[in-house]
Amino acid sequence: MFAAAHHISLRQLYKLFHQQGLTVAGWIRQRRLEDCRDALADPAQRSRPAHVIARRYGFTSYAHFSRLFTARYGHSPSDYRRTMSTEAAAGAERAGGSADTAVHGSS
């Protein structure tokens, strides 16, 4: 799909990624992990379980997702979410606003 969208062959696509020290699959996995990290930090998604967020971004096994997330960010998904919630609340208290304001800014 990526190759066709950019009018190059699969071989050229893989070569371009290889030149950057990446694989196509690794790059896609990294993007999906970043999307999950952003969703876990989003106060608007606080009620959505981490396994639902992982599945939304293509991780069918929560255990696999959790291992990848922990390896990449140094925290389990639930610890990361808890840390982000605590930091947002502390930032809001310092700013005199709510936790949502600290993360997303004022409206």
Side-chain angles (χ1 to χ4, degrees):
M1 183 174 359
F2 289 132
H6 294 282
H7 308 288
I8 61 174
S9 69
L10 281 175
R11 182 181 174 120
Q12 289 173 307
L13 177 69
Y14 285 108
K15 185 177 179 180
L16 289 170
F17 273 83
H18 180 74
Q19 290 171 349
Q20 300 299 314
L22 302 169
T23 65
V24 175
W27 181 82
I28 292 169
R29 184 174 39 251
Q30 181 57 40
R31 294 297 312 229
R32 289 171 34 214
L33 281 170
E34 290 170 3
D35 289 341
C36 288
R37 181 195 62 202
D38 292 346
L40 289 167
D42 183 357
Q45 296 192 49
R46 204 173 288 145
S47 64
R48 182 172 288 165
H51 74 274
V52 172
I53 290 172
R55 184 168 294 275
R56 178 178 181 209
Y57 290 101
F59 293 99
T60 56
S61 165
Y62 182 73
H64 180 68
F65 163 72
S66 184
R67 283 190 299 271
L68 289 173
F69 191 94
T70 301
R72 176 72 176 118
Y73 300 112
H75 299 281
S76 70
S78 57
D79 286 345
Y80 179 80
R81 175 178 261 175
R82 196 170 16 261
T83 298
M84 295 308 294
S85 293
T86 302
E87 287 178 7
E93 286 178 15
R94 284 191 299 273
S98 71
D100 290 344
T101 301
V103 173
H104 292 291
S106 60
S107 300

